[in-house]
Amino acid sequence: MANDTRIRMIEATALLLRQRGYHGTSLNDILSASGAPRGSLYFHFPGGKDQLVIEVTRDSVDKVTRWLGEELVAEKDPAVAVHHIYQSVARMLEDNQFTLGCPIAPVVLDSPADVPELAELCRSAFEQWVGLLQAAFVRAGVPERRARALALLVESSLEGLMVIARASRDRAPVLAVADEVAALIEGALPAKEVAVTAHRRQRRSRSAPAK
């Protein structure tokens, strides 16, 4: 029973943080959304709101990092992998009716400098995600410096597109940029990789069912 209460508080806090950010999420909000008594909060999280938010944010970062890593490993061609990632983000936004975006962006925008561990957690999250993208591009033969720039481009465009899609309540901007970014990545690959990618696309086009 006690564990159920803890889980409810974690889930409620994760949702509230994505909706309202750090400063917009109060203890009363967390208790109300989770249905937990105030005493339970300090029983499970002696450090109060900060400890709870840090744990929730770390869990959210781990989930995104794991998902991103799996996507980039599952597809050898990074242009195709990144295109899949944009498509997944578009589906996520549509599924939650454009109410939720990146799990840590609202926290970053709140600039929680008074909670150094939380600020460092957010900084390192973006570094991990950019690092995973960069490593995938390097494995495909893109020079290190170009790979870093492309990784930053992908991550920054995804973050901005989530905001635009939420404002317009439309996933079309995400999908439009997905095509352009995939083409840019493809153009950065060695000639041999580009030829392989083109061949794969031709095969997919020939095997695609008629509409």
Side-chain angles (χ1 to χ4, degrees):
M1 193 70 174
N3 192 49
D4 289 344
T5 300
R6 190 177 194 279
I7 292 172
R8 288 204 314 273
M9 284 191 287
I10 288 173
E11 291 176 345
T13 303
L15 181 60
L16 288 166
L17 286 173
R18 291 180 74 180
Q19 293 173 331
R20 308 179 186 181
Y22 173 78
H23 293 301
T25 301
S26 68
L27 285 179
N28 286 337
D29 293 331
I30 294 169
L31 295 174
S32 176
S34 64
R38 185 172 291 271
S40 294
L41 176 68
Y42 291 100
F43 173 77
H44 293 289
F45 305 97
K49 174 185 171 181
D50 287 351
Q51 182 184 350
L52 174 55
V53 169
I54 288 168
E55 182 167 332
V56 166
T57 303
R58 182 176 291 112
D59 182 60
S60 296
V61 169
D62 288 345
K63 287 177 180 176
V64 174
T65 303
R66 192 161 52 247
W67 166 75
L68 182 60
E70 289 170 354
E71 288 287 321
L72 293 168
V73 168
E75 175 55 65
K76 183 179 179 181
D77 182 342
V80 175
V82 167
H83 198 273
H84 287 169
I85 288 166
Y86 277 79
Q87 290 177 318
S88 295
V89 169
R91 282 195 300 271
M92 177 270 293
L93 289 162
E94 194 168 54
D95 289 346
N96 68 46
Q97 298 182 326
F98 302 97
T99 59
L100 304 171
C102 173
I104 66 168
V107 177
V108 173
L109 293 173
D110 264 358
S111 302
D114 51 335
V115 188
E117 186 175 352
L118 181 60
E120 173 57 24
L121 182 57
C122 293
R123 185 205 65 77
S124 65
F126 284 117
E127 191 60 36
Q128 285 182 74
W129 300 341
V130 170
L132 285 170
L133 289 161
Q134 180 181 357
F137 300 152
V138 169
R139 284 196 302 270
V142 180
E144 192 86 26
R145 186 172 179 181
R146 182 81 190 277
R148 175 72 178 178
L150 285 172
L152 285 166
L153 175 65
V154 171
E155 182 59 38
S156 60
S157 73
L158 282 170
E159 294 296 328
L161 285 165
M162 281 188 270
V163 175
I164 293 171
R166 290 182 65 190
S168 61
R169 300 187 64 79
D170 187 359
R171 69 177 192 165
V174 181
L175 298 177
V177 174
D179 292 338
E180 293 297 326
V181 171
L184 185 64
I185 295 168
E186 185 177 321
L189 298 175
K192 181 179 178 181
E193 292 294 332
V194 172
V196 171
T197 298
H199 179 61
R200 286 175 179 169
R201 286 187 174 179
Q202 288 173 0
R203 289 175 59 190
R204 282 200 300 271
S205 177
R206 286 197 297 267
S207 61
K211 294 184 179 179

